[in-house]
Amino acid sequence: MAYLDGFVVPVPKDKKDEYFDLARKMATKCRSLGAIGGHEAWGDGLEEGKETSFPRSVKATADENVVFAYILWPDKKTRDKGWEALMADPDMQPGAPMPFDMKRMFWGGFTPEVDYEEI
């Protein structure tokens, strides 16, 4: 059964291109490790909720937007092996500054229950 990783990331608007360059590199690495799809999407039509919202969830400032992303894997085993390899990859080690505040990013793994392609 498929498995996916989901992410919500605050990104400074002036670092949009830099962020998506990094996202393309990540996508290439994930695909080489077995990922079968995914998307990185720039917020458009995000509403500021009173209790919660995408911007509030990452404490986005006026000069930031929110990226919603997911990586689709064929199964959890492939995902776990893929992430193990990513974390050992020299290119993925801390060092270069990131184009976003990683402390306000959040993510998680999910088991799909309803597949739109099957309905």
Side-chain angles (χ1 to χ4, degrees):
M1 172 180 271
Y3 193 82
L4 66 94
D5 287 305
F7 308 85
V8 179
V9 186
V11 178
K13 293 173 184 173
D14 65 350
K15 297 209 182 247
K16 178 181 178 182
D17 291 341
E18 188 179 342
Y19 175 85
F20 284 109
D21 287 344
L22 180 64
R24 283 184 205 61
K25 290 177 187 172
M26 180 70 168
T28 299
K29 287 185 180 290
C30 288
R31 290 288 287 205
S32 74
L33 295 168
I36 57 176
H39 286 92
E40 299 263 352
W42 188 250
D44 180 22
L46 302 178
E47 297 201 16
E48 184 67 35
K50 291 182 181 178
E51 296 295 324
T52 190
S53 65
F54 278 98
R56 290 172 75 86
S57 71
V58 292
K59 299 180 181 173
T61 63
D63 65 331
E64 293 177 320
N65 197 358
V66 178
V67 168
F68 173 78
Y70 71 91
I71 304 167
L72 184 62
W73 302 91
D75 52 55
K76 190 172 188 309
K77 182 178 178 182
T78 304
R79 178 263 198 180
D80 290 347
K81 285 185 176 183
W83 275 105
E84 185 177 329
L86 283 167
M87 294 299 103
D89 186 326
D91 292 338
M92 300 297 292
Q93 301 309 306
M98 298 298 273
F100 62 95
D101 182 355
M102 289 185 63
K103 291 179 247 163
R104 292 185 289 132
M105 170 185 177
F106 66 94
W107 61 90
F110 299 86
T111 302
E113 296 293 332
V114 176
D115 185 338
Y116 282 35
E117 293 178 4
E118 295 177 357
I119 296 174

